[in-house]
Amino acid sequence: EEQLVESGGGFVQPGGSLRLSCEASGFAFNTYSMNWVRQAPGKGLEWISYIWTDEVYYADPVKGRFTISRDNVRNSLFLQMNSLAAEDTAVYYCARDRAFVFDLWGQGTMVTVSS
Amino acid sequence: QSALTQPPSASGSPGQSVAISCAGTSSDIGAYKYVSWYQQYSGKAPKLIIYDVDKRPSGVPDRFSGSKSGNTASLTVSGVQAEDEADYYCCSYGGRHRWVFGGGTKLTVL
């Protein structure tokens, strides 16, 4: 079964850092581009980052603060989040990208930024 | 990029057809065929139900259909059923490996 499982979420103070992980299984991880999408409580979905080999892109709200990376040996995707603010509070999903479509999603991991 | 515009709510009685609109711009919906729709139940991850404007992944009921005209896309649920009550999000590729989502529409089955 194709699956994505996120981890690493939690509670962090403003200005703090957190590293999210997403472990893939059941498919050839190294042949897909991957993304992070977040959803603030009660709000809609927001694309935040994309990675394919050494090509990375970010949405403006996270550019310069978040870093996406991947380890194809460990079938894992990562999101390093620095300088966190209250507006970064959200469920963070990793999503597989197949021809510009998010066809497989993880269950999400919650990040809460609060003092 | 600004979010795509969806109505916050839509409703229909069982068996009725319900359409949800998604308004974008000439830089996203109007520029690409990569419009997709996602169904999300409360507390769950989104699920792809329509891709490339009007294609359905395997396993998605054929009562779900998609279309696009100019800068606006639409999702139609023909013969809505109780299990279709969920939030629905449109999404468009916006170029340069960036995507934009709609604000979501809560579908209520009366």
Side-chain angles (χ1 to χ4, degrees):
Chain A
E1 180 191 4
E2 298 179 330
Q3 196 172 10
L4 297 170
V5 178
E6 301 95 335
S7 61
F11 188 95
V12 62
Q13 292 188 331
S17 299
L18 214 53
R19 187 187 194 219
L20 306 183
S21 299
C22 168
E23 185 171 349
S25 59
F27 65 96
F29 178 75
N30 63 333
T31 65
Y32 288 90
S33 50
M34 297 294 295
N35 297 261
W36 288 98
V37 177
R38 69 182 179 183
Q39 185 171 33
K43 302 297 184 181
L45 300 168
E46 178 186 24
W47 171 82
I48 58 172
S49 189
Y50 160 99
I51 185 168
W52 172 240
T53 59
D54 59 350
E55 198 176 5
V56 299
Y57 293 89
Y58 300 95
D60 288 343
V62 307
K63 195 178 301 182
R65 300 187 299 123
F66 290 11
T67 301
I68 190 172
S69 62
R70 64 190 295 164
D71 182 338
N72 289 337
V73 174
R74 293 164 58 191
N75 291 334
S76 292
L77 176 72
F78 305 101
L79 186 67
Q80 177 66 43
M81 305 186 295
N82 298 330
S83 303
L84 285 162
E87 52 265 33
D88 296 315
T89 293
V91 175
Y92 285 74
Y93 295 99
C94 62
R96 187 177 73 180
D97 168 12
R98 179 184 56 80
F100 307 101
V101 174
F102 304 125
D103 71 332
L104 182 67
W105 297 65
Q107 86 288 349
T109 187
M110 182 70 203
V111 172
T112 303
V113 184
S114 176
S115 55
Chain B
Q1 282 178 309
S2 299
L4 306 176
T5 300
Q6 297 181 236
S9 63
S11 63
S13 299
Q16 287 187 329
S17 286
V18 177
I20 298 172
S21 62
C22 173
T25 70
S26 58
S27 297
D28 38 61
I29 291 178
Y32 303 97
K33 69 172 185 176
Y34 304 118
V35 177
S36 51
W37 289 87
Y38 301 87
Q39 178 189 61
Q40 185 180 38
Y41 292 109
S42 181
K44 301 296 186 181
K47 172 191 171 185
L48 176 67
I49 58 171
I50 295 288
Y51 68 99
D52 293 357
V53 176
D54 58 5
K55 295 181 174 57
R56 275 188 315 277
S58 174
V60 174
D62 61 5
R63 64 179 180 273
F64 291 95
S65 62
S67 63
K68 185 184 89 163
S69 178
N71 298 336
T72 299
S74 296
L75 171 73
T76 299
V77 187
S78 303
V80 68
Q81 299 184 7
E83 64 256 34
D84 299 333
E85 187 160 291
D87 294 327
Y88 292 84
Y89 293 90
C90 60
C91 178
S92 176
Y93 181 62
R96 295 182 301 162
H97 299 290
R98 289 176 171 82
W99 286 260
V100 60
F101 285 92
T105 298
K106 182 177 183 60
L107 175 60
T108 300
V109 181
L110 304 171

